[in-house]
Amino acid sequence: MKIVIGSDKSGYPLRKELEAHLKEAGYELIVYGPKDAEEAVPFYEVAPLAAKEIQNSNAERGILICGTGMGMSQVANKFKGVRAACVENAYSAKMCRIINDSNILCMGGWMIAPTLGIQMVDEFLAARFTVGVEEWRKAWLENAKKEFGKLEDNIYG
């Protein structure tokens, strides 16, 4: 699986930990953001680059890290087809995939320790949309995703 990962300066240390983990696990990475801990690259420049990789199907999933994760999430969600979720625990990282089919995981470098970040990424990447939910809920979620797409068409179309 190809993953786009990006950060601003605040998310750089966590991004480097996650990059190492993902490379070791055999994922192919597209990386955006600072080249070192001193370079200041703003979240509003990184998030669009990652969102476009998802839009263009150059990456299947994304991971974005800023100070809180919220700025990256807000910017990434401006792009049609992007479903970025800002989460702070492993359960939410899993459920944003299962329930909402999120394709970008956003997290805060000021709040997430590397061990937790790795757990969150692993849960996010392992989870699949509607897998493990009751049949009635699966149909309901698939319909919700279609309705969400219609809202996007109204906004972007």
Side-chain angles (χ1 to χ4, degrees):
M1 181 187 300
K2 189 181 283 188
I3 299 168
V4 60
I5 185 169
S7 74
D8 63 5
K9 183 177 180 176
S10 301
Y12 177 82
L14 181 56
R15 189 192 88 207
K16 293 306 287 181
E17 295 280 345
L18 296 176
E19 280 181 51
H21 173 72
L22 292 166
K23 285 179 186 175
E24 185 178 310
Y27 291 102
E28 185 178 346
L29 302 180
I30 302 168
V31 181
Y32 291 112
K35 304 288 187 265
D36 59 50
E38 300 307 313
E39 184 181 7
V41 179
F43 69 90
Y44 55 82
E45 290 180 5
V46 175
L49 297 171
K52 289 176 186 175
E53 296 291 355
I54 296 293
Q55 272 188 325
N56 297 328
S57 299
N58 295 330
E60 294 175 60
R61 300 282 177 273
I63 301 163
L64 291 171
I65 310 134
C66 61
T68 63
M70 293 176 205
M72 289 287 196
S73 177
Q74 289 175 347
V75 173
N77 278 319
K78 301 292 185 205
F79 292 81
K80 184 176 182 176
V82 170
R83 296 173 304 281
C86 181
V87 302
E88 296 179 356
N89 60 63
Y91 180 75
S92 296
K94 173 182 173 180
M95 296 311 287
C96 77
R97 286 281 307 129
I98 291 172
I99 301 295
N100 305 107
D101 200 20
S102 295
N103 49 20
I104 296 182
L105 176 68
C106 299
M107 60 180 86
W110 293 334
M111 301 174 306
I112 305 296
T115 302
L116 177 57
I118 288 168
Q119 290 172 344
M120 291 168 64
V121 165
D122 288 348
E123 291 285 351
F124 178 75
L125 295 175
R128 299 290 178 256
F129 181 53
T130 72
V131 171
V133 300
E134 306 94 328
E135 284 304 313
W136 70 268
R137 189 180 307 267
K138 185 180 291 190
W140 191 91
L141 291 170
E142 288 169 355
N143 184 62
K145 185 176 173 182
K146 276 195 275 186
E147 292 299 319
F148 183 83
K150 290 179 189 175
L151 292 172
E152 278 190 327
D153 289 343
N154 287 333
I155 294 169
Y156 300 107

